[in-house]
């Protein structure tokens, strides 16, 4: 089959290169949130093209983990890891398209984790049980869109405020008033080695963490009822965060740096996953009417930067995505101290699943918006 768009070419490259996402080196079959990022890209493309190959790819990869009784291979609720919720976003489309109860049961299992997941004193989910009293921007993408869709699908809109307050609390505690950017994390107890003892905030603005946050916002705002009391506040948070990011968009490439506000410092680099996530959020924000047409210029420059800065095509037609930070976190190991030196020291790799998933989401949304605007 001839692939005519960037999104189709990327999807084809992923399917041919990694038919089983969980068998890639380093994953060893574990229940990893990375799969959910890639597969959400495939879901977005399937919705836009109705090509059944994409839905089948989602199902094949999820069925490795989802057993007939709804249990999930490799998943432990007692870990209380918000990352483990992310893959559950694919269960809704699978249940709807197949009517198989195992997908609903698996979604309910993940929902049960959120019912007892530990929280800060104000009710924000801890990032993980092993990271107590901490909000990480990453966690908003992992948990909130799933939580909202589950409530709307299976619980008749029960307590949507519990979803929206996750964003409100996160912005309140991570926002830097000077730049408008959001710090990677916040420690309520102010005891972590990486946090400011007065604010509880981590010391730097990591591109991908802000990218996770704005992706989560547009995904939630897409299905949150517009008459919900917090709809306008979440829209404001989205606009303010993207406006802050726009101030640090690289003038030459249109992309964003690994450490967003320090593009002129030695060792910093334009990073593909963060840039893709921001493109996705802007494109989807425009399509949903959350952002005005004044954002199209910013979006066009950023999209062009994704292609020119990060994409390399092979002789056999596969699309490679370069310059993705492999992983970055805080605590757990002494060197994960949140410093600038730490963020630029993490490995930079090609075809990371998080990066590819974000890139597929970004270009699919951009191409969809282009068709709508024609």
């Amino acid at each position: 089959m001839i692939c005519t768009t960037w999104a189709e070419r990327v999807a084809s490259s992923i399917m041919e290169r990694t038919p089983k996402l969980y068998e890639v080196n380093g994953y060893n079959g574990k229940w990893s949130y990375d799969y959910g990022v890639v597969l959400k890209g495939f879901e977005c493309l399937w919705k836009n093209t109705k090509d059944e190959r994409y839905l089948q790819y989602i199902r094949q990869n999820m069925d490795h983990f989802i057993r007939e009784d709804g249990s999930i291979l490799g998943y432990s609720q007692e870990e209380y890891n918000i990352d483990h919720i992310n893959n559950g976003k694919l269960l809704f489309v699978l249940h709807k398209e197949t009517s198989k109860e195992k997908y609903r049961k698996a979604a309910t299992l993940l929902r049960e984790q959120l019912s007892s997941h530990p929280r800060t004193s104000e009710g924000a989910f801890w990032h993980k049980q092993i990271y107590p009293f901490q909000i990480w921007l990453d966690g908003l993408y992992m948990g909130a869109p799933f939580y909202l869709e589950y409530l709307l699908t299976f619980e008749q809109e029960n307590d949507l405020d519990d979803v929206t307050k996750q964003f409100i609390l996160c912005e309140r505690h991570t926002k830097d008033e000077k730049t408008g950017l959001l710090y990677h994390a916040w420690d309520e107890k102010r005891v972590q080695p990486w946090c400011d003892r007065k604010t509880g905030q981590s010391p730097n603005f990591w591109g991908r963490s802000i990218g996770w946050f704005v992706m989560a916002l547009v995904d939630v705002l897409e299905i949150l009822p517009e008459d919900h009391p917090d709809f306008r506040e979440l829209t404001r948070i989205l606009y303010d965060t993207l406006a802050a990011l726009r101030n640090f968009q690289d003038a030459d490439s249109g992309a964003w740096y690994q450490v967003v506000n320090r593009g002129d410092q030695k060792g910093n680099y334009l990073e593909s996953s963060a840039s893709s996530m921001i493109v996705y959020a802007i494109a989807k924000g425009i399509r949903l009417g959350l952002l005005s047409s004044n954002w199209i210029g910013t979006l066009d420059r950023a999209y062009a930067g994704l292609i020119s800065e990060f994409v390399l095509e092979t002789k056999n037609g596969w699309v490679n995505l370069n310059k993705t930070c492999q992983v970055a976190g805080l605590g757990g190991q002494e060197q994960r101290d949140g410093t600038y030196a730490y963020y630029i020291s993490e490995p930079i790799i090609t075809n990371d699943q998080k990066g590819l998933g974000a890139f597929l989401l970004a270009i699919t949304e951009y191409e969809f918006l282009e068709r709508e605007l024609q």
Side-chain angles (χ1 to χ4, degrees):
M1 184 174 179
I2 299 175
C3 299
T4 58
T5 68
W6 273 113
E8 290 170 341
R9 289 157 68 187
V10 171
S12 179
S13 299
I14 294 171
M15 289 189 292
E16 291 177 23
R17 191 162 44 213
T18 52
K20 299 177 181 179
L21 293 171
Y22 48 87
E23 288 187 350
V24 175
N25 291 340
Y27 288 95
N28 300 318
K30 69 179 181 179
W31 176 249
S32 173
Y33 71 88
D34 305 52
Y35 315 142
V37 187
V38 176
L39 297 178
K40 282 299 287 186
F42 276 87
E43 181 186 355
C44 187
L45 187 56
W46 171 74
K47 286 179 177 178
N48 290 337
T49 65
K50 296 304 178 184
D51 187 328
E52 288 299 310
R53 293 181 306 149
Y54 303 138
L55 184 63
Q56 187 62 26
Y57 184 72
I58 294 169
R59 187 173 179 183
Q60 288 172 348
N61 275 276
M62 290 295 288
D63 277 353
H64 174 76
F65 296 96
I66 309 303
R67 295 162 169 160
E68 288 303 315
D69 63 355
S71 59
I72 302 172
L73 180 66
Y75 166 72
S76 171
Q77 190 178 110
E78 291 71 28
E79 283 185 38
Y80 290 110
N81 182 341
I82 205 77
D83 289 344
H84 290 340
I85 302 297
N86 187 54
N87 297 342
K89 298 171 186 176
L90 284 308
L91 297 170
F92 303 107
V93 67
L94 291 174
H95 180 258
K96 182 178 181 181
E97 294 300 315
T98 69
S99 299
K100 285 188 171 290
E101 276 296 287
K102 69 174 185 176
Y103 299 122
R104 182 191 63 78
K105 291 177 179 178
T108 300
L109 180 63
L110 297 173
R111 166 69 177 99
E112 289 171 356
Q113 175 184 322
L114 295 179
S115 297
S116 53
H117 196 97
R119 299 172 181 243
T120 67
S121 63
E122 297 170 298
F125 293 123
W126 294 3
H127 190 60
K128 299 180 184 181
Q129 185 166 253
I130 61 172
Y131 299 138
F133 299 99
Q134 298 169 42
I135 301 173
W136 293 20
L137 299 182
D138 320 32
L140 275 296
Y141 181 79
M142 304 302 164
F146 169 87
Y147 190 12
L148 178 59
E149 191 164 0
Y150 188 93
L151 294 177
L152 293 172
T153 305
F154 298 120
E155 293 187 18
Q156 290 74 53
E157 304 185 18
N158 180 39
D159 199 15
L160 303 189
D161 295 359
D162 197 31
V163 179
T164 58
K165 79 177 180 183
Q166 302 299 320
F167 293 95
I168 294 168
L169 291 171
C170 184
E171 190 212 27
R172 179 183 303 166
H173 293 302
T174 63
K175 186 174 183 177
D176 173 55
E177 293 302 328
K178 182 178 179 181
T179 62
L181 296 171
L182 306 182
Y183 289 103
H184 186 177
W186 174 74
D187 172 25
E188 180 178 26
K189 296 297 185 181
R190 291 151 172 79
V191 296
Q192 295 302 317
W194 47 259
C195 83
D196 183 285
R197 290 297 179 264
K198 290 183 179 179
T199 67
Q201 295 167 336
S202 60
N204 277 289
F205 306 114
W206 180 40
R208 187 157 75 220
S209 69
I210 307 176
W212 289 127
F213 185 79
V214 292
M215 284 212 304
L217 274 167
V218 291
D219 287 354
V220 161
L221 285 164
E222 181 178 29
I223 60 175
L224 182 69
E226 289 190 26
D227 61 357
H228 187 277
D230 291 332
F231 186 91
R232 292 185 66 181
E233 177 65 359
L234 264 57
T235 303
R236 193 274 307 161
I237 293 172
L238 173 68
Y239 179 88
D240 286 356
T241 308
L242 289 174
L245 286 165
R246 182 161 58 177
N247 290 332
F248 294 97
Q249 184 180 23
D250 181 57
D252 294 329
S253 69
W256 280 267
Y257 279 88
Q258 164 77 340
V259 181
V260 174
N261 64 325
R262 302 173 75 171
D264 58 348
Q265 289 198 229
K266 183 178 180 181
N268 207 356
Y269 59 95
L270 297 169
E271 203 276 336
S272 61
S273 66
S275 299
S276 296
M277 291 172 179
I278 298 165
V279 167
Y280 171 76
I282 296 173
K284 191 167 185 175
I286 295 170
R287 180 172 66 81
L288 295 176
L290 303 168
L291 300 174
S292 74
S293 59
N294 293 334
W295 282 85
I296 292 175
T298 299
L299 174 63
D300 287 343
R301 289 193 300 276
Y303 174 79
L306 291 186
I307 305 302
S308 64
E309 186 70 29
F310 305 119
V311 171
L312 178 66
E313 294 182 81
T314 66
K315 290 181 179 178
N316 62 357
W318 283 356
V319 176
N320 290 328
L321 185 73
N322 297 319
K323 298 171 71 173
T324 303
C325 172
Q326 185 172 30
V327 67
L330 293 160
Q333 305 167 22
E334 274 190 41
Q335 66 267 31
R336 289 163 42 117
D337 58 6
T339 60
Y340 174 77
Y342 163 69
Y343 284 112
I344 65 168
S345 71
E346 286 287 14
I348 305 167
I349 64 174
T350 297
N351 294 333
D352 174 83
Q353 288 190 17
K354 298 177 291 297
L356 280 170
F359 183 60
L360 181 56
L361 282 163
I363 57 181
T364 301
E365 271 294 340
Y366 182 85
E367 290 168 0
F368 185 34
L369 177 64
E370 262 196 326
R371 290 196 299 273
E372 283 205 341
L373 294 176
Q374 286 176 352

